[in-house]
Amino acid sequence: MTLRAPTSAAVLVLLALSPVPTQVGAQTTEPRPLTTEEAEAYQMGLELAFACSPRRHNRATDSQSTIRRGPDAMPGTAVHFRSIDGTYLVLEEYDEDLDGHCLVFGWFGGPIEPGRYRIGRLAMSTVEAQLDVGEHSFFSMSAVRRPDENAMLVVESGSLEIVTIEGDGVSGTFELRGFLVDGGGRNRTRDVTWAGSFRAVRGEA
């Protein structure tokens, strides 16, 4: 399994982080430098961002997703696709200025089936160990860019439940926990908890 760096100009705009923090759905904590393990998860999360695609999002009109962050909810589309690396589930929404959000779930095992899956923190050692023993978890990251918010979420844990797989459609729910990283990619600023649901359609890799 080889993670890829972001290539879409739109995704690079989405991930052009600034020091503006988000208050929604967050627990205030004192900013501190990332540990070596947290920095690795942050960098590998950036590589998952290749799955974000405003063009594909515009074609997924028959899908639906909701990300709940405390009193705030972000609606959008949802697509799933399989590439040579694995299976990806992407919840996203963009406007004409490419402001919006993108939440990526990556699965590097075999075909997904209905059931409850663990979400783990991204680390190359973890990915390689899972491949060796054939036991897998989902990995995840998210970026939000809009006038009042600009942040990247590093996901540390959680779960994703695939409720139905019918034809090209996949539906389910998720809950995840992680932390926000400042614009310089150096400091852990706030701990957050997100949850939501999706009804995804098949998209292109």
Side-chain angles (χ1 to χ4, degrees), residues 3-90:
L3 292 176
R4 292 172 281 182
T7 56
S8 167
V11 172
L12 293 178
V13 170
L14 183 66
L15 294 175
L17 306 179
S18 73
V20 179
T22 175
Q23 301 289 337
V24 180
Q27 304 170 13
T28 301
T29 56
E30 188 69 22
R32 63 165 175 76
L34 297 177
T35 65
T36 300
E37 293 78 12
E38 291 168 348
E40 180 187 15
Y42 169 77
Q43 292 296 331
M44 292 184 69
L46 287 176
E47 295 175 359
L48 277 182
F50 86 91
C52 302
S53 172
R55 179 173 59 87
R56 187 181 57 221
H57 153 72
N58 290 331
R59 298 177 177 178
T61 55
D62 293 335
S63 68
Q64 183 178 11
S65 66
T66 301
I67 302 171
R68 298 189 303 276
R69 309 181 301 166
D72 179 40
M74 298 188 298
T77 60
V79 299
H80 67 95
F81 65 90
R82 185 163 182 82
S83 73
I84 191 172
D85 298 329
T87 300
Y88 296 89
L89 175 66
V90 186

Side-chain angles (χ1 to χ4, degrees), residues 37-202:
E37 293 78 12
E38 291 168 348
E40 180 187 15
Y42 169 77
Q43 292 296 331
M44 292 184 69
L46 287 176
E47 295 175 359
L48 277 182
F50 86 91
C52 302
S53 172
R55 179 173 59 87
R56 187 181 57 221
H57 153 72
N58 290 331
R59 298 177 177 178
T61 55
D62 293 335
S63 68
Q64 183 178 11
S65 66
T66 301
I67 302 171
R68 298 189 303 276
R69 309 181 301 166
D72 179 40
M74 298 188 298
T77 60
V79 299
H80 67 95
F81 65 90
R82 185 163 182 82
S83 73
I84 191 172
D85 298 329
T87 300
Y88 296 89
L89 175 66
V90 186
L91 283 53
E92 55 194 339
E93 176 79 14
Y94 313 94
D95 63 18
E96 293 181 354
D97 296 323
L98 298 180
D99 285 343
H101 67 268
C102 179
L103 172 60
V104 180
F105 297 95
W107 170 259
F108 306 126
I112 57 174
E113 299 178 349
R116 190 174 183 86
Y117 297 83
R118 182 173 64 88
I119 299 174
R121 177 194 281 185
L122 262 175
M124 187 55 67
S125 59
T126 303
V127 174
E128 291 174 345
Q130 290 185 359
L131 290 173
D132 287 342
V133 300
E135 297 179 0
H136 301 280
S137 66
F138 270 90
F139 298 101
S140 183
M141 64 76 64
S142 183
V144 180
R145 182 178 186 271
R146 56 191 192 184
D148 62 340
E149 181 177 356
N150 211 334
M152 176 172 167
L153 171 65
V154 175
V155 177
E156 295 188 288
S157 63
S159 63
L160 184 148
E161 184 167 3
I162 303 296
V163 178
T164 63
I165 299 178
E166 298 178 350
D168 288 337
V170 177
S171 67
T173 61
F174 65 90
E175 54 183 29
L176 50 83
R177 292 168 293 280
F179 59 89
L180 300 176
V181 178
D182 67 10
R186 298 184 180 90
N187 294 315
R188 176 173 178 154
T189 59
R190 284 175 171 81
D191 298 337
V192 298
T193 301
W194 292 6
S197 60
F198 57 87
R199 179 170 52 80
V201 296
R202 187 180 302 278

